[in-house]
Amino acid sequence: MKTFLLQFFTWWNSQTLGTRFHTWRFGKKVGEDEAGNVYYEGGIDSEGRTRRWVIYRDYSEASKIPPGWHGWIHHRVDTAPASESYKPREWQKPHQANPTGTPSAYRPKGSILTNQHRPQVTGDYDAWTPGS
């Protein structure tokens, strides 16, 4: 019952009832990423391409889409990452979602969200003024 109410009244929790119905009716599952997001395609969009969409495992946050799936969902590549044998290079880091708005977001010295003070200006900078 809780899932039904969340899908009925919110858009940021995984999927809405409209998306669930559209996925049931037109969607063909293409694959799933390591975070548990499920990718679908089906139907034709206004530009004549196959429509592609993602159902997020929990909160809907676009930065949770890994790079390979991002290219597929935006029609940059035709082959979904689940259909190819992609091996990341040793220097490539694993995908990390955008931490903006979370406790792990970057907060520089002097930010109102930290207790640190902004460093003092050293005096080696002269501001530009017109006519100088």
Side-chain angles (χ1 to χ4, degrees):
M1 186 65 174
K2 178 183 172 186
T3 303
F4 173 77
L5 291 174
L6 285 175
Q7 289 180 359
F8 190 76
F9 289 110
T10 64
W11 56 265
W12 57 87
N13 287 304
S14 184
Q15 62 181 328
T16 62
L17 285 177
T19 305
R20 179 181 284 256
F21 180 71
H22 180 78
T23 303
W24 170 75
R25 200 154 169 229
F26 301 109
K28 182 185 104 189
K29 184 177 177 181
V30 175
E32 189 171 332
D33 64 16
E34 60 274 359
N37 302 323
V38 183
Y39 298 87
Y40 294 91
E41 67 179 355
I44 303 295
D45 67 5
S46 61
E47 297 178 11
R49 302 177 301 189
T50 304
R51 189 179 302 269
R52 297 173 178 174
W53 66 95
V54 59
I55 305 294
Y56 297 97
R57 191 186 81 209
D58 43 358
Y59 286 115
S60 298
E61 170 58 45
S63 70
K64 290 182 178 180
I65 298 177
W69 283 105
H70 181 272
W72 177 82
I73 207 161
H74 290 282
H75 297 278
R76 301 288 184 255
V77 295
D78 292 329
T79 307
S83 303
E84 60 185 19
S85 59
Y86 173 75
K87 300 276 190 222
R89 301 211 166 107
E90 65 275 357
W91 49 265
Q92 288 179 307
K93 294 182 179 181
H95 174 68
Q96 181 180 3
N98 184 355
T100 302
T102 66
S104 60
Y106 173 68
R107 294 183 174 95
K109 291 181 181 176
S111 170
I112 60 172
L113 298 174
T114 65
N115 58 0
Q116 300 172 336
H117 295 288
R118 187 174 146 238
Q120 293 294 323
V121 177
T122 61
D124 60 349
Y125 171 76
D126 294 325
W128 176 82
T129 55
S132 62

